[in-house]
Amino acid sequence: MNDYPPIADHGMVGDLQTAALISGTGTVDWWCTPRFDSPSLFASILDSERGGHCRFAADVERIAGESVRQLYLPDTAILVTRYMAPSGVGEVADFMEPNTSSTPTDRHRLLRVARVVRGSLPFTLVCRPRFDYGRAPHTLSLLDDGSALFRGPGTDLHLQATEPIALRRDGDDIVADFTLQAGETAAVALTSADSGNHTMTPLTAGEVRDSIEGCHDFWLRWLRSSRYHGRWQEMVNRSAITLKLLTYAPTGAPIAAATMGLPEQIGGERNWDYRYTWIRDASLSVRALIDLGFTDEAQAFRGWLRERLEAGGTASGEPLQIMYRIDGDPHLTEEVLDHLEGYQKSAPVRAGNAAADQIQLDIYGEAADALAQAQDIGGIRGWRALVGVLDWLADTWDRPDEGIWETRGGRQDFTYSRLMTWVAFDRGIRMATTYSRPADVVRWTTTRDAVFNQIIDRGWNPRRQAFVQHYTTDVLDASLLLMPRVGFVSPRDPAWLSTLDAMDQELVSDSLVYRYDPAASPDGLRGSEGTFNLCSFLYVEALARAGRVRQARYAFDKMLTYANHVGLFAEEIGPSGEQLGNFPQAFTHLALIAAAIALDEQLDPSTG
């Protein structure tokens, strides 16, 4: 097994409450349970020795001339790893059964199904869980029915297998070897549950077959709601499924990414925990799903968001904070897991996120925009909570903050933060007017216009002929690519086209877009980073809406070449085209959807 496969060498499976990453070697090297933000059972992607893993694959050491391919069953979250060798052809299908219940459960099952379609193949199973990010010991019991039970602190992992797999002990871990002939199938099930909640029925071939059919049918049925039928349907569908997999069904809260600690630079310190719900990311994710026709997910998130507005009590002391746990808990204490060496020795590995108490004023615009997209404004309490927030913002908007990129280099008057403050008042005014709700619309309008004028007067840099990152710099910032989308400027306004030209010169490298230049605008962190995939797709959308369709399409098609073998993107692209950062990232996939829709509208204006 490769100690650290490339970040891109993974597919993701999930059940809408948790998710696992599976590498091209058939190794589960990341799985946290019972929630996305729970401690890990398997985390060898962050430490190949201490993190724990589960490998279920053809035994490559016993096969000469083997090749491996990985794919998803079309339009599903069923991941298939195929093994082709002179002795035979086989595959392993990995999946989790979606659970759409609004009630969280402690029980989650990952099914792994091997079969041979030609000849024969030897397979191997190695299951080495390491509880609580590899910090906690566990015990192992082999049960009378042939299954195995790993007991950790507060969590058990039950391993079951069908014939001909015979589990055997290897210290406190489990191994097995078996061979399948053409037409034969074998399966293992990994079921996590709270300690003591491990009553299991025997795993049968019929149950496995019903489970995979049910999973397959769920995803096909869910995708029928999509109204996208454009040129890039396969990639858009994959991005939509990815956003769905990253959404916690019991609350409707989308997370930013499935992982934590994956580096933005190999050996660097930008290694953050993304398993939480950012107001910004989630609002934009919901916008992407609405554009595709997935209204249930949008409604669920808006309900979660209204609850945050009503609850208050943030760790930052503001009415909203930039991120929460998926259940709405505002406390995300950051700790360094110094017993883990990090992906390819990229330390520190952080769990939790200290940026939760940062002041980022843009979140009020993203929140208001998400609520404004509803056809139903919601309950009276929710509206009053929003009015209270906007009235508060009218008094407090004109101050520095940390900005969208959560830099740890001090507060500034960031132009993007002002932009989204403008959006907050603009959407509030629209909602109050459309739904005839009580609000101080005159005051909101006055404030909105004051924000607009300040951005024009101070966010515009005459020397650069562009809108810039903050009021005391001439550095550009790719977050401002959202200016036309939110309606602040026309996509063909001369001032915007001039800004787009400046970004093209400073931030764009062969269609790949940097967030900003850390050397010119220090962010308080050592090292460098790659280009940011969100920004690259926002650039495509901006080009398309500016009428530069040929350039936009070429940039989009080039961006798609950076997707991994199953259509997934991490946060960034490194200097050699490698994927970097947490994986897969919702921001990237929502921006891909928006770019595809914008391009289709420009290429087929009669259907846009």
Side-chain angles (χ1 to χ4, degrees), residues 222-256:
W222 181 77
L223 269 179
R224 289 193 194 108
S225 297
S226 174
R227 55 174 175 246
Y228 180 83
H229 303 290
R231 290 168 174 79
W232 297 279
Q233 188 160 3
E234 183 177 353
M235 288 300 295
V236 168
N237 284 356
R238 179 55 48 203
S239 291
I241 290 172
T242 301
L243 293 180
K244 178 70 170 175
L245 283 170
L246 293 175
T247 300
Y248 186 63
T251 64
I255 60 171

Side-chain angles (χ1 to χ4, degrees), residues 9 68 240 533:
D9 188 28
V68 181
N533 292 327

Side-chain angles (χ1 to χ4, degrees), residues 486-540:
V486 300
F488 185 84
V489 295
S490 163
R492 303 191 187 192
D493 186 298
W496 173 246
L497 295 179
S498 177
T499 300
L500 197 55
D501 289 338
M503 288 186 183
D504 189 63
Q505 292 296 314
E506 182 171 302
L507 300 181
V508 181
S509 174
D510 190 35
S511 83
L512 298 173
V513 181
Y514 291 92
R515 296 187 289 184
Y516 56 89
D517 180 0
S521 181
D523 61 4
L525 298 167
R526 296 187 302 274
S528 61
E529 63 177 9
T531 56
F532 208 66
N533 292 327
L534 162 72
C535 300
S536 299
F537 284 118
L538 291 179
Y539 175 65
V540 170

Side-chain angles (χ1 to χ4, degrees), residues 65-380:
E66 178 220 35
S67 63
V68 181
R69 300 288 186 273
Q70 199 173 54
L71 70 155
Y72 280 110
L73 287 186
D75 292 339
T76 77
I78 300 171
L79 185 68
V80 179
T81 307
R82 307 201 74 218
Y83 302 91
M84 291 159 279
S87 63
V89 175
E91 60 191 31
V92 172
D94 290 292
F95 66 98
M96 299 178 75
E97 301 153 276
N99 183 346
T100 59
S101 171
S102 60
T103 302
T105 178
D106 64 294
R107 182 172 293 212
H108 300 274
R109 184 168 74 166
L110 170 59
L111 278 162
R112 316 197 68 187
V113 186
R115 75 182 185 117
V116 169
V117 297
R118 180 181 61 79
S120 67
L121 283 178
F123 288 83
T124 185
L125 166 67
V126 179
C127 186
R128 305 189 190 281
R130 297 295 181 264
F131 292 77
D132 189 24
Y133 305 117
R135 292 182 293 194
H138 69 267
T139 62
L140 170 64
S141 300
L142 289 175
L143 306 182
D144 293 341
D145 62 1
S147 64
L149 180 62
F150 300 90
R151 286 190 172 95
T155 302
D156 292 343
L157 180 66
H158 199 148
L159 174 60
Q160 296 171 285
T162 63
E163 292 183 348
I165 303 173
L167 306 180
R168 67 180 190 273
R169 179 189 288 270
D170 179 21
D172 284 330
D173 302 320
I174 287 292
V175 296
D177 299 289
F178 61 98
T179 298
L180 296 179
Q181 307 296 325
E184 292 182 339
T185 299
V188 297
L190 294 155
T191 304
S192 68
D194 287 349
S195 294
N197 183 17
H198 49 75
T199 301
M200 299 285 176
T201 58
L203 184 66
T204 66
E207 179 189 3
V208 171
R209 183 173 58 252
D210 291 345
S211 294
I212 198 168
E213 289 177 358
C215 182
H216 184 268
D217 291 346
F218 170 86
W219 288 109
L220 295 185
R221 187 168 59 250
W222 181 77
L223 269 179
R224 289 193 194 108
S225 297
S226 174
R227 55 174 175 246
Y228 180 83
H229 303 290
R231 290 168 174 79
W232 297 279
Q233 188 160 3
E234 183 177 353
M235 288 300 295
V236 168
N237 284 356
R238 179 55 48 203
S239 291
I241 290 172
T242 301
L243 293 180
K244 178 70 170 175
L245 283 170
L246 293 175
T247 300
Y248 186 63
T251 64
I255 60 171
T259 60
M260 65 178 221
L262 293 181
E264 298 174 19
Q265 177 190 28
I266 300 301
E269 65 173 326
R270 292 180 173 89
N271 315 318
W272 314 114
D273 190 345
Y274 277 15
R275 300 170 300 152
Y276 306 114
T277 299
W278 270 253
I279 297 294
R280 175 189 312 112
D281 302 39
S283 297
L284 294 173
S285 293
V286 166
R287 170 70 179 271
L289 290 173
I290 288 175
D291 289 344
L292 295 178
F294 297 108
T295 56
D296 289 348
E297 288 75 14
Q299 188 62 32
F301 170 69
R302 283 192 290 262
W304 181 91
L305 180 57
R306 290 190 188 102
E307 290 175 359
R308 305 288 74 72
L309 286 168
E310 294 173 19
T314 64
S316 65
E318 305 277 300
L320 278 179
Q321 66 183 44
I322 66 172
M323 72 181 91
Y324 297 82
R325 293 190 181 275
I326 50 181
D327 60 1
D329 184 348
H331 302 289
L332 288 76
T333 303
E334 183 174 294
E335 61 176 325
V336 172
L337 305 180
D338 53 14
H339 65 287
L340 297 178
E341 72 172 11
Y343 177 82
Q344 292 192 21
K345 300 186 178 180
S346 301
V349 174
R350 298 179 178 92
N353 200 308
D357 60 0
Q358 285 191 357
I359 306 301
Q360 297 179 21
L361 295 173
D362 66 284
I363 63 174
Y364 299 101
E366 283 114 9
D369 190 52
L371 294 173
Q373 294 168 48
Q375 295 181 353
D376 176 7
I377 194 61
I380 294 172

